Amino acid sequence: MTTVFTVTHYSVPEEMEEGSVVANLAADLGLDVKTLHNRKMRVDVVGNKKYLDINRDTGELFILERMDREFLCPLKTSTSCFLKIDATIENPIRMFNIEVEITDINDNAPHFRRGTMHLDISESSPVGERFSLNNAADPDVGTNSVKDYHLSSSQHFALEIQTGRDGSKFADLILTKALDREQQAVHNLILTAVDGGVPTRTGTASIIVRVLDVNDNAPSFDKDKYVVDVMENSPIGSLVIKLNATDLDEGSNSDIAYSYSLYTSERTQKMFTLNPENGEIRVKEMINYEDLKLYELEVIATDKGPNSLSGQCKLTIHVTDMNDNHPEISIKSFQSPIKENEPIDTVIAVVSVSDKDSGDNGVVDLHVPDNMPFRLRESSDNYYELVVSEPLDREKVPEYDITFTVTDRGSPPLSDNETMTLELLDINDNVPQFPQSFYTIRVVENNAPGALLSSLTAFDPDLHENQYLVYFILEKEIANTSMSMLFSINPENGNLYALKTFDYEIEKEFLFHIEARDSGSPPLSSNVTVHIIIVDQNDNAPVIVSPWRAHGSVVEEKIPRSTDKGSLVAKVIALDTDSVHNSRITYQFLQVTDATLFSLDQYNGEIRTMRMFSYRDPRHQRLVVVAKDNGEPALSATVTIKLSTVETAVKAHSDMTEVPLEYDIFSDLNLYLVIGLGSVSFLLLITILVTIVLKCQKPKPSIAAPPCRNSVISERNSTIADSTLVSNDAYWYSLFLAETRKGKLVVRQPLPKGSRYIVSSIPRGTGLTDTSDSAASTL
């Protein structure tokens, strides 16, 4: 028969460690240890795991493995949790039912199934509205389970704790203050569950309350008024401003559309376009600062929620000036022409300037070119006077092209200009001017009366009547002859004419003045010296004066037959009243009987013997000599000399020896000649003394060549000795001209009977170089 003993229970706290003794089972069962040791004992665990065991040696019940009450008894149908053990002892068999109660300890904290709870609450929910929250779970039982809940601090929410039928605790969230999503769209709360154990344990969960929006906010702009600047001439489509309106609501309640209000003018709406989606205002048409400097706009922002709300702002657009307008010049008055003697500071023109731009773009400066005799003087705002700054001279600059240039101060600067022509009126401030102060005019003799000699044109830089010149010959008499009888000048053009034919051999030069007078008021004049020089023409043929022949052209001479070689046989002297090269004479044999017997010097006309006469030479020799001048064409004269050789005791002398005349030549005529020659010699001496005195007061002349003395013997009463010639009136003047050109002084002295003259020529090398006029007057 089996006996069962039931042990009510043992209480074991779940925190006991492995190996801990729960109780002395042998003692509690009334068994001694020896009996237990000798008898076979078996322990069966009720369940699927063995947590307790009996020590067969001691009979102690001990913990084989640590126990977890919440694991062993997961259901909280009751607060008790038991482990049952069946122990069997054989011989005899005895069975014991052992119940071990595992008592709870607060080893678990409350926890929520969801760590975060989300709640959507409309911001229009009324105060006091209740919202259920998830409960916290605690595996512990009794007082170790959830006892209370706590809520983090909140102005809008509170907790209300409820107790269920099973004694469990749960909490509701109560709205204590109205929500405003725009102020706080999300509320983050912490819910804490607290158990009743000692010490207490807690568990937390986050509560995220998302406030649902309602359209309770109107759109609003960042500012009530906006002021922006936009450059004129900005490209079409360029951004002026992007307006930004915000709506504290969300969703469609915050979607905004932009539009102009009725207070925005149509003109402004045409100039600027408004994007309704993003609030961008862009240039629609070209902006001109000069048309309108300021635009005012009013923009409305409207949300798209039900019962839409709107907000507005004002926008002022200032147009910024660009330097896109050229400055302008306006000539208010311009005086032209003006007199060239206008005084300094005379106002010539009044000019105004302007520029439609503003600021520096509208500030302008007016200029005229440098180096002009004018300056600008500011008279008033943007008005300038152009005045004379330097003396004017029409003859230097007859007119001025004055360019007025106006430039603004923009960047880059713009400018404009206008040119005016200023003419100067002439005044009579210049005297007529001849190109030369002295005119030398050469007139070839034998000119035709009325021939144009020269054009003496003066120049007057003045104009009109101040430039019209009249020419006059200033009267001057020469030998009781007025210049106006010899010359004529055209009063209009200054052409000078000869009124007569001039003869160089009579008149060689004229000196007078010509005046040019303008027609101004008062008239101005100037004069010039004119020197007329008569130029010689080869209009006179040479005249042979030695050997002199009374009739015909044949001269007979006698020469001793015993004449030595080189002796002077004859000297041909020809005179030409022309001058310079026209009077230069050369001599040549035209015919000669024996060319080996005589030589002719081509320059002085001396005929000399080249050898002595021989018995074979003919007694009569015929020599034809031609005297030719140097003119073009050349003129000439010839003389034929018939030489006869005589057997006489006439001595031949050298060139420088005077040949004594035979006794029979001293006729009455010769006596008069001697007397005349003495008189001339006396006058010559007086003249030399006077010349020496005058020369002492003047620079010494160059040393002249020694005087030449010539001698020739003629059987006729024409004797040339010491260059003294007995001549008639036919050729004394020609001799005078020829001799004076050769640098000799010629003196003409009448013989006592007056039928003949003595013409004496003295070389000027003796010092009588200043007596040509007196000699001429003497002749």
Side-chain angles (χ1 to χ4, degrees), residues 6 41 128 130 135 204 332 340 383 470-471 569 576 667 704 767:
T6 303
M41 182 178 181
R130 184 185 301 270
N135 292 340
T204 61
K332 299 301 181 182
E340 61 176 320
Y383 277 84
V470 180
Y471 299 88
V569 175
D576 195 320
S667 61

Side-chain angles (χ1 to χ4, degrees), residues 124-175:
S124 62
S125 298
V127 175
E129 188 171 350
R130 184 185 301 270
F131 304 94
S132 296
L133 299 177
N134 294 331
N135 292 340
D138 193 332
D140 296 327
V141 293
T143 60
N144 291 332
S145 65
V146 176
K147 183 181 180 180
D148 199 0
Y149 290 93
H150 300 287
L151 185 66
S152 60
S153 177
S154 174
Q155 297 180 357
H156 297 275
F157 297 96
L159 281 179
E160 187 174 294
I161 307 300
Q162 302 289 334
T163 302
R165 293 178 181 180
D166 57 356
S168 62
K169 303 287 185 178
F170 62 90
D172 289 335
L173 189 66
I174 306 300
L175 182 62

Side-chain angles (χ1 to χ4, degrees), residues 37 65 336 389 429 478 487 578 600 604 642 672 758 772 775:
H37 181 73
E65 183 177 348
S336 178
S389 60
D429 57 345
I478 298 179
F487 302 97
D578 295 323
L600 173 63
N604 59 22
K642 288 185 178 181
Y672 294 143
I758 297 175
S772 59

Side-chain angles (χ1 to χ4, degrees), residues 710-763:
N710 299 319
S711 298
V712 116
I713 300 176
S714 174
E715 291 184 347
R716 288 185 173 81
N717 291 333
S718 61
T719 303
I720 298 180
D722 294 332
S723 299
T724 301
L725 173 68
V726 177
S727 173
N728 58 19
D729 289 335
Y731 59 85
W732 75 263
Y733 182 65
S734 298
L735 177 62
F736 163 70
L737 292 178
E739 293 297 291
T740 52
R741 288 172 188 162
K742 295 175 183 177
K744 296 180 180 180
L745 177 66
V746 180
V747 180
R748 182 176 182 231
Q749 188 70 26
L751 292 177
K753 293 183 180 181
S755 59
R756 298 252 182 124
Y757 295 87
I758 297 175
V759 178
S760 299
S761 64
I762 299 135

